[in-house]
Structures are given as structure tokens and as C-alpha cells.
PDB file of all heavy atoms in Angstrom:
ATOM      1  N   LEU A 267     -17.805  66.183   7.191  1.00  0.00           N
ATOM      2  CA  LEU A 267     -17.263  65.116   8.042  1.00  0.00           C
ATOM      3  C   LEU A 267     -18.328  64.166   8.510  1.00  0.00           C
ATOM      4  O   LEU A 267     -18.174  62.930   8.595  1.00  0.00           O
ATOM      5  CB  LEU A 267     -16.483  65.744   9.232  1.00  0.00           C
ATOM      6  CG  LEU A 267     -15.323  66.681   8.982  1.00  0.00           C
ATOM      7  CD1 LEU A 267     -14.676  67.207  10.222  1.00  0.00           C
ATOM      8  CD2 LEU A 267     -14.315  65.952   8.048  1.00  0.00           C
ATOM      9  N   GLU A 268     -19.491  64.739   8.812  1.00  0.00           N
ATOM     10  CA  GLU A 268     -20.632  63.914   9.209  1.00  0.00           C
ATOM     11  C   GLU A 268     -21.038  62.909   8.045  1.00  0.00           C
ATOM     12  O   GLU A 268     -21.313  61.738   8.288  1.00  0.00           O
ATOM     13  CB  GLU A 268     -21.788  64.769   9.456  1.00  0.00           C
ATOM     14  CG  GLU A 268     -23.125  63.993   9.835  1.00  0.00           C
ATOM     15  CD  GLU A 268     -24.349  64.988  10.045  1.00  0.00           C
ATOM     16  OE1 GLU A 268     -24.163  66.210   9.891  1.00  0.00           O
ATOM     17  OE2 GLU A 268     -25.438  64.419  10.150  1.00  0.00           O
ATOM     18  N   LEU A 269     -21.002  63.448   6.797  1.00  0.00           N
ATOM     19  CA  LEU A 269     -21.408  62.581   5.682  1.00  0.00           C
ATOM     20  C   LEU A 269     -20.308  61.534   5.419  1.00  0.00           C
ATOM     21  O   LEU A 269     -20.701  60.311   5.086  1.00  0.00           O
ATOM     22  CB  LEU A 269     -21.576  63.481   4.394  1.00  0.00           C
ATOM     23  CG  LEU A 269     -22.768  64.349   4.391  1.00  0.00           C
ATOM     24  CD1 LEU A 269     -22.525  65.377   3.262  1.00  0.00           C
ATOM     25  CD2 LEU A 269     -23.959  63.524   4.099  1.00  0.00           C
ATOM     26  N   LEU A 270     -19.081  61.885   5.507  1.00  0.00           N
ATOM     27  CA  LEU A 270     -17.991  60.766   5.323  1.00  0.00           C
ATOM     28  C   LEU A 270     -18.112  59.750   6.367  1.00  0.00           C
ATOM     29  O   LEU A 270     -17.907  58.563   6.021  1.00  0.00           O
ATOM     30  CB  LEU A 270     -16.630  61.519   5.411  1.00  0.00           C
ATOM     31  CG  LEU A 270     -16.245  62.402   4.167  1.00  0.00           C
ATOM     32  CD1 LEU A 270     -14.974  63.093   4.385  1.00  0.00           C
ATOM     33  CD2 LEU A 270     -16.274  61.540   2.789  1.00  0.00           C
ATOM     34  N   GLU A 271     -18.415  60.190   7.621  1.00  0.00           N
ATOM     35  CA  GLU A 271     -18.603  59.081   8.655  1.00  0.00           C
ATOM     36  C   GLU A 271     -19.907  58.269   8.397  1.00  0.00           C
ATOM     37  O   GLU A 271     -19.792  57.074   8.606  1.00  0.00           O
ATOM     38  CB  GLU A 271     -18.622  59.808  10.019  1.00  0.00           C
ATOM     39  CG  GLU A 271     -18.678  58.842  11.155  1.00  0.00           C
ATOM     40  CD  GLU A 271     -18.667  59.601  12.490  1.00  0.00           C
ATOM     41  OE1 GLU A 271     -18.641  60.831  12.517  1.00  0.00           O
ATOM     42  OE2 GLU A 271     -18.576  58.850  13.539  1.00  0.00           O
ATOM     43  N   LEU A 272     -20.853  58.989   7.858  1.00  0.00           N
ATOM     44  CA  LEU A 272     -22.237  58.273   7.567  1.00  0.00           C
ATOM     45  C   LEU A 272     -21.951  57.161   6.554  1.00  0.00           C
ATOM     46  O   LEU A 272     -22.579  56.092   6.708  1.00  0.00           O
ATOM     47  CB  LEU A 272     -23.219  59.342   7.120  1.00  0.00           C
ATOM     48  CG  LEU A 272     -24.562  58.705   6.674  1.00  0.00           C
ATOM     49  CD1 LEU A 272     -25.319  58.334   7.928  1.00  0.00           C
ATOM     50  CD2 LEU A 272     -25.330  59.819   5.971  1.00  0.00           C
ATOM     51  N   VAL A 273     -21.135  57.360   5.508  1.00  0.00           N
ATOM     52  CA  VAL A 273     -20.850  56.368   4.513  1.00  0.00           C
ATOM     53  C   VAL A 273     -19.809  55.394   4.868  1.00  0.00           C
ATOM     54  O   VAL A 273     -19.322  54.576   4.038  1.00  0.00           O
ATOM     55  CB  VAL A 273     -20.732  57.046   3.189  1.00  0.00           C
ATOM     56  CG1 VAL A 273     -21.951  57.796   2.716  1.00  0.00           C
ATOM     57  CG2 VAL A 273     -19.382  57.879   3.106  1.00  0.00           C
ATOM     58  N   GLY A 274     -19.346  55.366   6.075  1.00  0.00           N
ATOM     59  CA  GLY A 274     -18.390  54.351   6.534  1.00  0.00           C
ATOM     60  C   GLY A 274     -16.899  54.594   6.265  1.00  0.00           C
ATOM     61  O   GLY A 274     -16.095  53.751   6.206  1.00  0.00           O
ATOM     62  N   ILE A 275     -16.535  55.928   6.012  1.00  0.00           N
ATOM     63  CA  ILE A 275     -15.190  56.284   5.817  1.00  0.00           C
ATOM     64  C   ILE A 275     -14.510  56.670   7.137  1.00  0.00           C
ATOM     65  O   ILE A 275     -14.887  57.526   7.775  1.00  0.00           O
ATOM     66  CB  ILE A 275     -14.996  57.408   4.816  1.00  0.00           C
ATOM     67  CG1 ILE A 275     -15.372  56.882   3.385  1.00  0.00           C
ATOM     68  CG2 ILE A 275     -13.566  57.893   4.729  1.00  0.00           C
ATOM     69  CD1 ILE A 275     -15.320  57.819   2.329  1.00  0.00           C
ATOM     70  N   SER A 276     -13.532  55.848   7.537  1.00  0.00           N
ATOM     71  CA  SER A 276     -12.910  56.059   8.860  1.00  0.00           C
ATOM     72  C   SER A 276     -11.940  57.343   8.714  1.00  0.00           C
ATOM     73  O   SER A 276     -11.497  57.782   7.687  1.00  0.00           O
ATOM     74  CB  SER A 276     -12.005  54.822   9.275  1.00  0.00           C
ATOM     75  OG  SER A 276     -10.972  54.639   8.226  1.00  0.00           O
ATOM     76  N   GLU A 277     -11.701  57.853   9.872  1.00  0.00           N
ATOM     77  CA  GLU A 277     -10.825  59.159   9.894  1.00  0.00           C
ATOM     78  C   GLU A 277     -11.321  60.241   8.964  1.00  0.00           C
ATOM     79  O   GLU A 277     -10.493  60.612   8.099  1.00  0.00           O
ATOM     80  CB  GLU A 277      -9.298  58.823   9.694  1.00  0.00           C
ATOM     81  CG  GLU A 277      -8.704  57.776  10.684  1.00  0.00           C
ATOM     82  CD  GLU A 277      -7.299  57.517  10.436  1.00  0.00           C
ATOM     83  OE1 GLU A 277      -6.993  56.657   9.445  1.00  0.00           O
ATOM     84  OE2 GLU A 277      -6.424  58.223  11.049  1.00  0.00           O
ATOM     85  N   PRO A 278     -12.591  60.580   9.040  1.00  0.00           N
ATOM     86  CA  PRO A 278     -13.068  61.525   8.057  1.00  0.00           C
ATOM     87  C   PRO A 278     -12.367  62.840   7.902  1.00  0.00           C
ATOM     88  O   PRO A 278     -12.104  63.337   6.845  1.00  0.00           O
ATOM     89  CB  PRO A 278     -14.530  61.702   8.488  1.00  0.00           C
ATOM     90  CG  PRO A 278     -14.495  61.278   9.928  1.00  0.00           C
ATOM     91  CD  PRO A 278     -13.511  60.279  10.045  1.00  0.00           C
ATOM     92  N   ARG A 279     -11.853  63.338   8.969  1.00  0.00           N
ATOM     93  CA  ARG A 279     -11.122  64.582   8.924  1.00  0.00           C
ATOM     94  C   ARG A 279      -9.805  64.389   8.122  1.00  0.00           C
ATOM     95  O   ARG A 279      -9.421  65.267   7.218  1.00  0.00           O
ATOM     96  CB  ARG A 279     -10.744  65.123  10.262  1.00  0.00           C
ATOM     97  CG  ARG A 279     -10.167  66.611  10.284  1.00  0.00           C
ATOM     98  CD  ARG A 279     -10.082  67.099  11.789  1.00  0.00           C
ATOM     99  NE  ARG A 279     -11.280  67.215  12.418  1.00  0.00           N
ATOM    100  CZ  ARG A 279     -12.091  68.337  12.315  1.00  0.00           C
ATOM    101  NH1 ARG A 279     -11.690  69.345  11.595  1.00  0.00           N
ATOM    102  NH2 ARG A 279     -13.267  68.340  12.905  1.00  0.00           N
ATOM    103  N   LYS A 280      -9.147  63.372   8.285  1.00  0.00           N
ATOM    104  CA  LYS A 280      -7.887  63.052   7.435  1.00  0.00           C
ATOM    105  C   LYS A 280      -8.323  62.753   5.992  1.00  0.00           C
ATOM    106  O   LYS A 280      -7.620  63.327   5.041  1.00  0.00           O
ATOM    107  CB  LYS A 280      -7.166  61.855   7.988  1.00  0.00           C
ATOM    108  CG  LYS A 280      -5.994  61.429   7.231  1.00  0.00           C
ATOM    109  CD  LYS A 280      -5.239  60.228   7.870  1.00  0.00           C
ATOM    110  CE  LYS A 280      -4.053  59.795   7.115  1.00  0.00           C
ATOM    111  NZ  LYS A 280      -4.398  59.258   5.681  1.00  0.00           N
ATOM    112  N   ARG A 281      -9.250  61.942   5.754  1.00  0.00           N
ATOM    113  CA  ARG A 281      -9.728  61.604   4.472  1.00  0.00           C
ATOM    114  C   ARG A 281     -10.224  62.868   3.634  1.00  0.00           C
ATOM    115  O   ARG A 281     -10.228  62.887   2.357  1.00  0.00           O
ATOM    116  CB  ARG A 281     -10.754  60.519   4.438  1.00  0.00           C
ATOM    117  CG  ARG A 281     -10.217  59.114   4.915  1.00  0.00           C
ATOM    118  CD  ARG A 281      -9.019  58.744   4.026  1.00  0.00           C
ATOM    119  NE  ARG A 281      -8.587  57.341   4.334  1.00  0.00           N
ATOM    120  CZ  ARG A 281      -7.538  56.734   3.691  1.00  0.00           C
ATOM    121  NH1 ARG A 281      -6.860  57.427   2.739  1.00  0.00           N
ATOM    122  NH2 ARG A 281      -7.128  55.593   4.114  1.00  0.00           N
ATOM    123  N   ALA A 282     -10.959  63.808   4.332  1.00  0.00           N
ATOM    124  CA  ALA A 282     -11.417  64.949   3.662  1.00  0.00           C
ATOM    125  C   ALA A 282     -10.294  65.745   2.988  1.00  0.00           C
ATOM    126  O   ALA A 282     -10.597  66.491   1.973  1.00  0.00           O
ATOM    127  CB  ALA A 282     -12.106  65.819   4.684  1.00  0.00           C
ATOM    128  N   ARG A 283      -9.035  65.577   3.375  1.00  0.00           N
ATOM    129  CA  ARG A 283      -7.885  66.282   2.817  1.00  0.00           C
ATOM    130  C   ARG A 283      -7.263  65.535   1.595  1.00  0.00           C
ATOM    131  O   ARG A 283      -6.402  65.961   1.018  1.00  0.00           O
ATOM    132  CB  ARG A 283      -6.956  66.631   3.853  1.00  0.00           C
ATOM    133  CG  ARG A 283      -7.426  67.602   4.984  1.00  0.00           C
ATOM    134  CD  ARG A 283      -6.274  68.129   5.780  1.00  0.00           C
ATOM    135  NE  ARG A 283      -5.645  67.094   6.489  1.00  0.00           N
ATOM    136  CZ  ARG A 283      -6.014  66.649   7.751  1.00  0.00           C
ATOM    137  NH1 ARG A 283      -7.016  67.351   8.394  1.00  0.00           N
ATOM    138  NH2 ARG A 283      -5.312  65.689   8.420  1.00  0.00           N
ATOM    139  N   ASP A 284      -7.775  64.271   1.481  1.00  0.00           N
ATOM    140  CA  ASP A 284      -7.176  63.417   0.330  1.00  0.00           C
ATOM    141  C   ASP A 284      -7.741  63.779  -1.095  1.00  0.00           C
ATOM    142  O   ASP A 284      -8.797  64.412  -1.113  1.00  0.00           O
ATOM    143  CB  ASP A 284      -7.541  61.997   0.583  1.00  0.00           C
ATOM    144  CG  ASP A 284      -6.723  61.379   1.729  1.00  0.00           C
ATOM    145  OD1 ASP A 284      -5.580  61.934   2.055  1.00  0.00           O
ATOM    146  OD2 ASP A 284      -7.026  60.258   2.169  1.00  0.00           O
ATOM    147  N   TYR A 285      -6.974  63.523  -2.056  1.00  0.00           N
ATOM    148  CA  TYR A 285      -7.396  63.547  -3.464  1.00  0.00           C
ATOM    149  C   TYR A 285      -8.035  62.255  -3.864  1.00  0.00           C
ATOM    150  O   TYR A 285      -7.661  61.184  -3.284  1.00  0.00           O
ATOM    151  CB  TYR A 285      -6.235  64.039  -4.348  1.00  0.00           C
ATOM    152  CG  TYR A 285      -5.683  65.527  -4.098  1.00  0.00           C
ATOM    153  CD1 TYR A 285      -4.751  65.702  -3.216  1.00  0.00           C
ATOM    154  CD2 TYR A 285      -6.408  66.536  -4.782  1.00  0.00           C
ATOM    155  CE1 TYR A 285      -4.331  66.946  -2.959  1.00  0.00           C
ATOM    156  CE2 TYR A 285      -5.912  67.883  -4.510  1.00  0.00           C
ATOM    157  CZ  TYR A 285      -4.846  68.057  -3.630  1.00  0.00           C
ATOM    158  OH  TYR A 285      -4.544  69.419  -3.292  1.00  0.00           O
ATOM    159  N   PRO A 286      -8.819  62.243  -4.903  1.00  0.00           N
ATOM    160  CA  PRO A 286      -9.420  61.008  -5.384  1.00  0.00           C
ATOM    161  C   PRO A 286      -8.483  59.917  -5.669  1.00  0.00           C
ATOM    162  O   PRO A 286      -8.764  58.712  -5.285  1.00  0.00           O
ATOM    163  CB  PRO A 286     -10.201  61.461  -6.602  1.00  0.00           C
ATOM    164  CG  PRO A 286     -10.574  62.833  -6.415  1.00  0.00           C
ATOM    165  CD  PRO A 286      -9.357  63.396  -5.678  1.00  0.00           C
ATOM    166  N   HIS A 287      -7.304  60.194  -6.197  1.00  0.00           N
ATOM    167  CA  HIS A 287      -6.317  59.009  -6.564  1.00  0.00           C
ATOM    168  C   HIS A 287      -5.804  58.449  -5.363  1.00  0.00           C
ATOM    169  O   HIS A 287      -5.123  57.396  -5.329  1.00  0.00           O
ATOM    170  CB  HIS A 287      -5.198  59.635  -7.432  1.00  0.00           C
ATOM    171  CG  HIS A 287      -4.196  60.478  -6.697  1.00  0.00           C
ATOM    172  ND1 HIS A 287      -4.356  61.777  -6.522  1.00  0.00           N
ATOM    173  CD2 HIS A 287      -3.063  60.171  -6.151  1.00  0.00           C
ATOM    174  CE1 HIS A 287      -3.396  62.341  -5.886  1.00  0.00           C
ATOM    175  NE2 HIS A 287      -2.550  61.379  -5.557  1.00  0.00           N
ATOM    176  N   GLN A 288      -5.943  59.076  -4.130  1.00  0.00           N
ATOM    177  CA  GLN A 288      -5.365  58.452  -2.923  1.00  0.00           C
ATOM    178  C   GLN A 288      -6.327  57.443  -2.266  1.00  0.00           C
ATOM    179  O   GLN A 288      -5.965  56.863  -1.261  1.00  0.00           O
ATOM    180  CB  GLN A 288      -4.992  59.618  -2.018  1.00  0.00           C
ATOM    181  CG  GLN A 288      -3.889  60.437  -2.464  1.00  0.00           C
ATOM    182  CD  GLN A 288      -3.687  61.750  -1.453  1.00  0.00           C
ATOM    183  OE1 GLN A 288      -4.406  62.679  -1.472  1.00  0.00           O
ATOM    184  NE2 GLN A 288      -2.688  61.535  -0.717  1.00  0.00           N
ATOM    185  N   LEU A 289      -7.533  57.338  -2.882  1.00  0.00           N
ATOM    186  CA  LEU A 289      -8.542  56.461  -2.322  1.00  0.00           C
ATOM    187  C   LEU A 289      -8.776  55.211  -3.193  1.00  0.00           C
ATOM    188  O   LEU A 289      -8.513  55.234  -4.357  1.00  0.00           O
ATOM    189  CB  LEU A 289      -9.901  57.068  -2.124  1.00  0.00           C
ATOM    190  CG  LEU A 289      -9.932  58.498  -1.293  1.00  0.00           C
ATOM    191  CD1 LEU A 289     -11.316  59.090  -1.359  1.00  0.00           C
ATOM    192  CD2 LEU A 289      -9.385  58.298   0.096  1.00  0.00           C
ATOM    193  N   SER A 290      -9.138  54.095  -2.526  1.00  0.00           N
ATOM    194  CA  SER A 290      -9.524  52.874  -3.285  1.00  0.00           C
ATOM    195  C   SER A 290     -10.835  53.211  -4.141  1.00  0.00           C
ATOM    196  O   SER A 290     -11.586  54.138  -3.778  1.00  0.00           O
ATOM    197  CB  SER A 290      -9.696  51.750  -2.359  1.00  0.00           C
ATOM    198  OG  SER A 290     -10.819  51.952  -1.485  1.00  0.00           O
ATOM    199  N   GLY A 291     -11.078  52.234  -5.009  1.00  0.00           N
ATOM    200  CA  GLY A 291     -12.370  52.394  -5.734  1.00  0.00           C
ATOM    201  C   GLY A 291     -13.584  52.308  -4.811  1.00  0.00           C
ATOM    202  O   GLY A 291     -14.541  53.089  -5.059  1.00  0.00           O
ATOM    203  N   GLY A 292     -13.584  51.463  -3.866  1.00  0.00           N
ATOM    204  CA  GLY A 292     -14.697  51.454  -2.920  1.00  0.00           C
ATOM    205  C   GLY A 292     -14.885  52.740  -2.134  1.00  0.00           C
ATOM    206  O   GLY A 292     -15.980  53.208  -1.982  1.00  0.00           O
ATOM    207  N   MET A 293     -13.775  53.293  -1.702  1.00  0.00           N
ATOM    208  CA  MET A 293     -13.835  54.501  -0.873  1.00  0.00           C
ATOM    209  C   MET A 293     -14.283  55.678  -1.810  1.00  0.00           C
ATOM    210  O   MET A 293     -15.073  56.583  -1.384  1.00  0.00           O
ATOM    211  CB  MET A 293     -12.530  54.859  -0.295  1.00  0.00           C
ATOM    212  CG  MET A 293     -12.141  53.839   0.819  1.00  0.00           C
ATOM    213  SD  MET A 293     -10.624  54.212   1.609  1.00  0.00           S
ATOM    214  CE  MET A 293     -11.014  55.670   2.583  1.00  0.00           C
ATOM    215  N   ARG A 294     -13.923  55.638  -3.074  1.00  0.00           N
ATOM    216  CA  ARG A 294     -14.252  56.675  -4.045  1.00  0.00           C
ATOM    217  C   ARG A 294     -15.818  56.691  -4.282  1.00  0.00           C
ATOM    218  O   ARG A 294     -16.520  57.659  -4.261  1.00  0.00           O
ATOM    219  CB  ARG A 294     -13.493  56.706  -5.373  1.00  0.00           C
ATOM    220  CG  ARG A 294     -12.155  57.086  -5.301  1.00  0.00           C
ATOM    221  CD  ARG A 294     -11.562  57.342  -6.658  1.00  0.00           C
ATOM    222  NE  ARG A 294     -11.426  56.059  -7.511  1.00  0.00           N
ATOM    223  CZ  ARG A 294     -10.270  55.318  -7.468  1.00  0.00           C
ATOM    224  NH1 ARG A 294      -9.193  55.767  -6.729  1.00  0.00           N
ATOM    225  NH2 ARG A 294     -10.313  54.233  -8.232  1.00  0.00           N
ATOM    226  N   GLN A 295     -16.298  55.401  -4.314  1.00  0.00           N
ATOM    227  CA  GLN A 295     -17.780  55.237  -4.492  1.00  0.00           C
ATOM    228  C   GLN A 295     -18.481  55.729  -3.141  1.00  0.00           C
ATOM    229  O   GLN A 295     -19.585  56.289  -3.441  1.00  0.00           O
ATOM    230  CB  GLN A 295     -18.144  53.809  -4.817  1.00  0.00           C
ATOM    231  CG  GLN A 295     -19.499  53.508  -5.306  1.00  0.00           C
ATOM    232  CD  GLN A 295     -19.721  54.317  -6.643  1.00  0.00           C
ATOM    233  OE1 GLN A 295     -19.944  55.561  -6.770  1.00  0.00           O
ATOM    234  NE2 GLN A 295     -19.721  53.503  -7.658  1.00  0.00           N
ATOM    235  N   ARG A 296     -17.951  55.504  -2.057  1.00  0.00           N
ATOM    236  CA  ARG A 296     -18.545  56.054  -0.845  1.00  0.00           C
ATOM    237  C   ARG A 296     -18.598  57.498  -0.878  1.00  0.00           C
ATOM    238  O   ARG A 296     -19.563  58.171  -0.350  1.00  0.00           O
ATOM    239  CB  ARG A 296     -17.758  55.469   0.263  1.00  0.00           C
ATOM    240  CG  ARG A 296     -18.036  53.950   0.549  1.00  0.00           C
ATOM    241  CD  ARG A 296     -17.224  53.364   1.698  1.00  0.00           C
ATOM    242  NE  ARG A 296     -17.388  51.928   1.758  1.00  0.00           N
ATOM    243  CZ  ARG A 296     -18.202  51.437   2.671  1.00  0.00           C
ATOM    244  NH1 ARG A 296     -18.918  52.090   3.503  1.00  0.00           N
ATOM    245  NH2 ARG A 296     -18.293  50.037   2.677  1.00  0.00           N
TER     246      ARG A 296
END
């Protein structure tokens, strides 16, 4: 969660449960 927040992904706890196809290209690169 610390790393996801560090790279600018909001709501890291929620996003940590997502699969790659649920993210945009920029978020996948992050």
C-alpha cells in the first residue's frame, strides 16, 4: 500500500484488489 501511494495511485487499498485489466495504461505503468 505504501508503494502504490508512493507512485501516485489513489485509494491504494482498493486498487490493490484490482486486476491489471481494470487499470488504465498509465496506472499499470505506475
Side-chain angles (χ1 to χ4, degrees):
L267 299 181
E268 177 188 355
L269 287 163
L270 289 174
E271 187 172 3
L272 179 68
V273 298
I275 292 182
S276 59
E277 300 182 278
R279 188 174 295 275
K280 175 180 180 296
R281 289 302 185 184
R283 296 193 295 269
D284 285 344
Y285 292 92
H287 73 271
Q288 295 176 283
L289 304 179
S290 67
M293 291 182 70
R294 287 195 294 266
Q295 194 63 286
R296 288 173 186 266

